[in-house]
Amino acid sequence: MTHSSIMVDVGKWPIFTLLSPQEIASIRKACVFGTSANEAIYITHNDEVFVFGLNCSNCLGTGDNQSTIVPKKLEALCGKKISSLSYGSGPHVVLCTEDGEVFAWGHNGYSQLGNGTTNQGITPVQVCTNLLIKKVVEVACGSHHSMALSLDGDLYAWGYNNCGQVGSGSTANQPTPRRVSNCLQGKIVVGIACGQTSSMAVVNNGEVYGWGYNGNGQLGLGNNGNQLTPCRVAALHSVCVLQIACGYAHTLALTDEGLLYAWGANTYGQLGTGNKSNQLSPVQIMMEKERVVEIAACHSAHTSAAKTQSGQVYMWGQCRGQSVTFPHLTHFACTDDVFACFATPAVMWRLLSVEHEDFLTVAESLKKEFDSPETSDLKFRVDGKYIHVHKAVLKIRCEHFRTMFQSYWNEDMKEVIEIDQFSYPVYRAFLEYLYTDSVDLPPEDAIGLLDLATSYCENRLKKLCQHIIKRGITVENAFSLLSAAVRYDAEVNF
């Protein structure tokens, strides 16, 4: 998962107004959960773990059933370095640590704590059966079932199984963790998510599998029949999925090309299709021309969110009682804020990191370093102006430069390349494209960029330019665009 590079304000979640400024300042990670968003757990910079709130079904893990507006420390988890956390509707809580241990507590009427009983868990207890030999790196909970993903790509599930959400081939509840196999046998799972009573997994080659309840088409299989074992989402065979996210009864998928797909329930517009019709198969959701880098949904809400490469955050679905049927651009800087301000209940969709993030995704890092004199090792001079770039990036991203540098480059050569056949805006846009995968140019300049892309055999960039030009044609500029296209001998079908 990507992270926001700005300071996240936990004060946007109402329950955190109970804490003092000093307590707020101590928080490093946090999660708000519960059927009314009235429970919270947080981890301090000293790796101490505190809980407070209503304590439904002993979900605070304090050893008693008392509510508390004053944070109580969970000694059993202090110093454990919690890395992933999820919760159910009971609620129950499941988490894993950096050492790969799994702990669970809270509601257990369906054995969702994985300890072989149906007794409520009043304190955090390690989930041992079948998981002790595994290093668990991610956990996910549905309403009353739980899943754990190990470092080596094995997936385990347990708890409520009335619709096959545990993937065992039956509808009997699963009292302890059981490895999910069948179609996943021999495959390496890299991502998991749960709807209320459904389960999804992504494997390392980008395939997506779903099982459990499918009454709204949330498994994406083209029908609405429940599945007792994992079934591949065949409609996504032509794309490579990186991330999956589940809402109450809908599913989102993000591909390696930054494309967004959605399917399942759509009563509140949570698919982003512009209507409220359920979708039994994946449908691509258009996000302007932007590449999506993160998707967000939560099994207790009908809200969806996505973040684009340029940092814009969109939301759709249930928004404080209203239905938003198409991705709506927010003023937020992270998807977490969407759930704080718009979701019902105002829970968190993941364990939230509250600190200043020094971690950026590869895409964010590259974008930040484009035209940076501090780190660059190469300059282009175009129309008398300099553009600072990195030889390695150009070689990795562009065959033209890879060939050029291998053939002609040596370390003694002057580290400035003169460009005279293209204008500064056009060449700058081309170099920036190599860093960001996106183009932001008026159609008149896009024709020049199209000519450059043709010269350098950059076919994807050619398509982007053609799209910009066609979309930007107006009565006023049609003649000048046509003249420019003729001048450049550009491949545009007006």
Side-chain angles (χ1 to χ4, degrees):
M1 284 184 184
T2 55
H3 294 273
S4 169
S5 56
I6 51 90
M7 191 72 164
V8 179
D9 177 17
V10 292
K12 286 182 174 149
W13 279 268
I15 190 169
F16 277 104
T17 58
L18 290 169
L19 301 191
S20 69
Q22 292 78 15
E23 288 166 329
I24 293 283
S26 74
I27 296 174
R28 187 168 61 90
K29 293 181 179 180
C31 189
V32 176
F33 60 99
T35 51
S36 303
N38 280 334
E39 280 95 10
I41 182 170
Y42 67 88
I43 303 142
T44 69
H45 295 286
N46 298 327
D47 207 31
E48 293 181 322
V49 181
F50 291 88
V51 289
F52 63 104
L54 203 54
N55 205 16
C56 294
S57 303
N58 297 99
C59 68
L60 295 184
T62 53
D64 57 50
N65 58 5
Q66 302 300 305
S67 300
T68 176
I69 60 172
V70 177
K72 289 185 178 179
K73 190 186 291 189
L74 290 188
E75 295 285 359
L77 295 176
C78 290
K80 289 286 186 182
K81 295 190 172 139
I82 297 167
S83 57
S84 174
L85 182 147
S86 190
Y87 54 86
S89 300
H92 73 289
V93 180
V94 179
L95 61 81
C96 67
T97 68
E98 288 182 8
D99 289 335
E101 298 174 332
V102 178
F103 292 84
W105 68 93
H107 192 275
N108 195 34
Y110 304 94
S111 300
Q112 59 263 50
L113 300 186
N115 58 21
T117 77
T118 54
N119 302 327
Q120 228 159 68
I122 61 174
T123 58
V125 174
Q126 188 175 354
V127 184
C128 296
T129 308
N130 294 335
L131 293 184
L132 275 183
I133 57 170
K134 291 290 180 179
K135 180 172 183 177
V136 171
V137 293
E138 186 178 359
V139 294
C141 296
S143 63
H144 299 95
H145 74 290
S146 310
M147 298 204 299
L149 173 61
S150 70
L151 181 63
D152 55 6
D154 287 344
L155 176 58
Y156 292 80
W158 61 95
Y160 199 27
N161 194 34
N162 63 325
C163 303
Q165 58 265 46
V166 167
S168 61
S170 78
T171 55
N173 293 346
Q174 180 62 38
T176 55
R178 176 191 175 279
R179 188 169 168 213
V180 183
S181 53
N182 300 93
C183 286
L184 292 180
Q185 189 71 40
K187 295 189 180 289
I188 298 172
V189 178
V190 294
I192 55 176
C194 294
Q196 279 278 295
T197 47
S198 60
S199 305
M200 303 294 300
V202 183
V203 299
N204 63 344
N205 65 358
E207 295 174 353
V208 178
Y209 291 80
W211 60 100
Y213 183 67
N214 194 32
N216 299 285
Q218 55 261 62
L219 301 186
L221 305 177
N223 59 55
N224 55 9
N226 296 351
Q227 295 290 325
L228 304 185
T229 56
C231 189
R232 186 179 172 193
V233 182
L236 293 173
H237 69 92
S238 61
V239 298
C240 176
V241 171
L242 295 181
Q243 188 197 341
I244 202 92
C246 292
Y248 187 94
H250 75 287
T251 310
L252 307 175
L254 175 62
T255 75
D256 61 345
E257 294 185 330
L259 304 177
L260 170 64
Y261 289 84
W263 60 93
N266 201 23
T267 311
Y268 301 92
Q270 60 264 47
L271 299 186
T273 55
N275 59 48
K276 296 184 182 179
S277 302
N278 289 4
Q279 295 289 337
L280 303 183
S281 295
V283 177
Q284 189 180 341
I285 307 304
M286 304 314 296
M287 297 285 292
E288 303 294 328
K289 60 184 180 189
E290 286 234 65
R291 185 187 183 106
V292 176
V293 296
E294 180 178 272
I295 52 175
C298 170
H299 73 75
S300 58
H302 307 284
T303 304
S304 303
K307 182 180 176 182
T308 67
Q309 188 160 0
S310 66
Q312 292 185 312
V313 173
Y314 291 80
M315 70 78 54
W316 59 101
Q318 192 175 41
C319 172
R320 290 188 166 267
Q322 297 184 62
S323 296
V324 179
T325 62
F326 199 75
H328 171 75
L329 179 61
T330 71
H331 60 274
F332 299 135
C334 61
T335 54
D336 306 278
D337 287 352
V338 168
F339 291 83
C341 300
F342 293 153
T344 307
V347 292
M348 292 185 183
W349 73 274
R350 62 174 167 188
L351 181 63
L352 175 69
S353 183
V354 185
E355 55 200 341
H356 280 296
E357 287 286 357
D358 54 7
F359 169 78
L360 297 176
T361 63
V362 173
E364 288 167 338
S365 299
L366 284 179
K367 185 175 181 181
K368 183 166 154 284
E369 293 306 317
F370 172 68
D371 202 15
S372 166
E374 290 81 19
T375 60
S376 71
D377 57 2
L378 178 64
K379 289 188 286 189
F380 284 88
R381 186 157 64 205
V382 190
D383 298 342
K385 301 178 202 169
Y386 288 107
I387 308 169
H388 299 82
V389 292
H390 307 75
K391 277 186 288 184
V393 173
L394 302 193
K395 286 169 71 174
I396 291 167
R397 294 280 289 143
C398 179
E399 182 65 36
H400 169 84
F401 288 120
R402 185 154 53 247
T403 304
M404 172 183 167
F405 292 159
Q406 283 172 350
S407 304
Y408 305 113
W409 195 273
N410 63 65
E411 290 306 316
D412 301 325
M413 190 172 170
K414 190 179 179 184
E415 306 246 324
V416 178
I417 297 178
E418 295 277 359
I419 300 294
D420 52 19
Q421 67 267 48
F422 297 103
S423 70
Y424 175 81
V426 165
Y427 212 80
R428 180 183 171 85
F430 170 64
L431 294 175
E432 189 167 10
Y433 161 78
L434 297 180
Y435 281 74
T436 66
D437 254 351
S438 60
V439 176
D440 185 16
L441 272 182
E444 293 78 8
D445 285 334
I447 289 179
L449 185 57
L450 175 60
D451 184 45
L452 192 158
T454 303
S455 300
Y456 286 7
C457 300
E458 288 289 327
N459 291 328
R460 182 176 178 273
L461 180 57
K462 283 171 63 177
K463 289 177 183 174
L464 281 174
C465 292
Q466 288 165 340
H467 179 66
I468 290 170
I469 296 162
K470 288 178 183 178
R471 200 181 57 195
I473 293 174
T474 64
V475 173
E476 291 76 19
N477 69 9
F479 182 75
S480 62
L481 284 179
L482 185 59
S483 300
V486 171
R487 187 168 68 253
Y488 282 109
D489 194 23
E491 302 173 25
V492 185
N493 298 315
F494 288 98

